[in-house]
Amino acid sequence: MLTVSFPAAAMGTNCYVFARERGSECVVVDPGIGVTDQLFEVLGELDLKPTAVLLTHGHLDHTFSVTPVCGGRIAAHIHADDRYRLVNPYDQLGPQLRGMLEQSFGKSATWREPEKVVSIHEGEPLELAGLTFGVTHAPGHTEGSVMFTVDEVPDGLDDAVAATVNQSVITGDVLFAGSIGRTDLEGGSDAAMQQSLRTKVLPLPDSSLILPGHGPASTMARERVSNPYLQALQGSGA
């Protein structure tokens, strides 16, 4: 599976591109702040044609560039419980963050909702660009946070890692290498996050490659023994 990832210009949000091969259709995941130039350069170099945008949740640092990437031609896919966040995510920003964005981009913060939006649900796989993305609803960071699972791994992995993994899990802000997503923002819930970690994350097989919304990739085998948030749940008999 051809996979490209790079961090956004702000907040280090990982933007991912998945495709079967060069010259094929592709799926873009979480186009964040200031990614359009680099994203379109990647698409041009690899001769990739976006067929869908997948959003792990509706926070602005994961959705900022969704409308220019979709361009009125392709749909943005987001869980039904976070669908409202695409109406105007700037309404959810505090004045400090709004000011930071306006200072960074030299203009007042504006938003245009994508023309095509598809509400997704757990248990309804998405067949896109020749790949199958499973959808797992894992609320806690937001009400509609999801993880996407693909039963393939990226080309070019280190041999030692490639020998231990057989599926990729795009975890958004549910699970990071060594940490988890915060739950103190609007729509977040520590109780829901603990339930998601217990019932959705811990059951992931050790052979899962973890592709998070921020920071480096990991594996479920590594997180199970080193992530303090997962260790705490396992230690409590979860």
Side-chain angles (χ1 to χ4, degrees):
M1 177 174 65
L2 175 61
T3 305
V4 179
S5 66
F6 55 90
M11 303 186 192
T13 308
N14 291 325
C15 178
Y16 294 97
V17 179
F18 297 93
R20 291 237 56 91
E21 58 191 0
R22 296 175 68 107
S24 67
E25 293 183 331
C26 70
V27 173
V28 178
V29 180
D30 287 355
I33 297 171
V35 304
T36 51
D37 287 349
Q38 186 171 357
L39 175 60
F40 292 148
E41 182 178 334
V42 166
L43 298 179
E45 287 179 354
L46 298 176
D47 190 24
L48 297 175
K49 179 182 178 182
T51 189
V53 172
L54 302 185
L55 301 171
T56 59
H57 62 289
H59 281 160
L60 191 67
D61 61 318
H62 292 251
T63 67
F64 186 89
S65 300
V66 63
T67 299
V69 173
C70 287
R73 300 173 293 105
I74 63 176
H77 296 67
I78 191 167
H79 191 273
D81 290 349
D82 265 19
R83 171 65 181 87
Y84 77 96
R85 294 179 181 273
L86 291 186
V87 175
N88 189 353
Y90 284 111
D91 288 344
Q92 304 156 39
L93 297 181
Q96 184 176 5
L97 183 54
R98 184 188 289 264
M100 183 198 76
L101 289 174
E102 293 179 356
Q103 183 178 21
S104 298
F105 293 96
K107 58 184 178 182
S108 297
T110 59
W111 177 260
R112 183 166 60 88
E113 188 176 0
E115 293 182 25
K116 299 179 181 180
V117 180
V118 175
S119 293
I120 59 178
H121 305 270
E122 180 165 10
E124 297 179 2
L126 303 171
E127 303 285 346
L128 301 166
L131 299 167
T132 301
F133 294 84
V135 179
T136 300
H137 185 208
H141 183 63
T142 66
E143 311 94 320
S145 289
V146 300
M147 301 187 296
F148 297 108
T149 301
V150 185
D151 289 334
E152 301 187 42
V153 296
D155 299 333
L157 287 178
D158 178 89
D159 289 345
V161 175
T164 66
V165 294
N166 58 23
Q167 69 170 12
S168 302
V169 184
I170 307 141
T171 56
D173 286 8
V174 178
L175 179 69
F176 305 134
S179 190
I180 60 172
R182 60 191 294 182
T183 61
D184 59 334
L185 301 174
E186 181 182 355
S189 166
D190 184 65
M193 176 64 85
Q194 295 303 308
Q195 179 71 2
S196 290
L197 295 175
R198 188 178 296 112
T199 63
K200 305 296 178 69
V201 173
L202 280 175
L204 290 171
D206 285 351
S207 57
S208 300
L209 178 69
I210 303 300
L211 302 176
H214 301 265
S218 186
T219 67
M220 191 59 201
R222 183 182 306 153
E223 294 309 301
R224 199 181 304 281
V225 299
S226 65
N227 190 309
Y229 296 93
L230 300 186
Q231 286 185 308
L233 286 174
Q234 295 173 111
S236 67

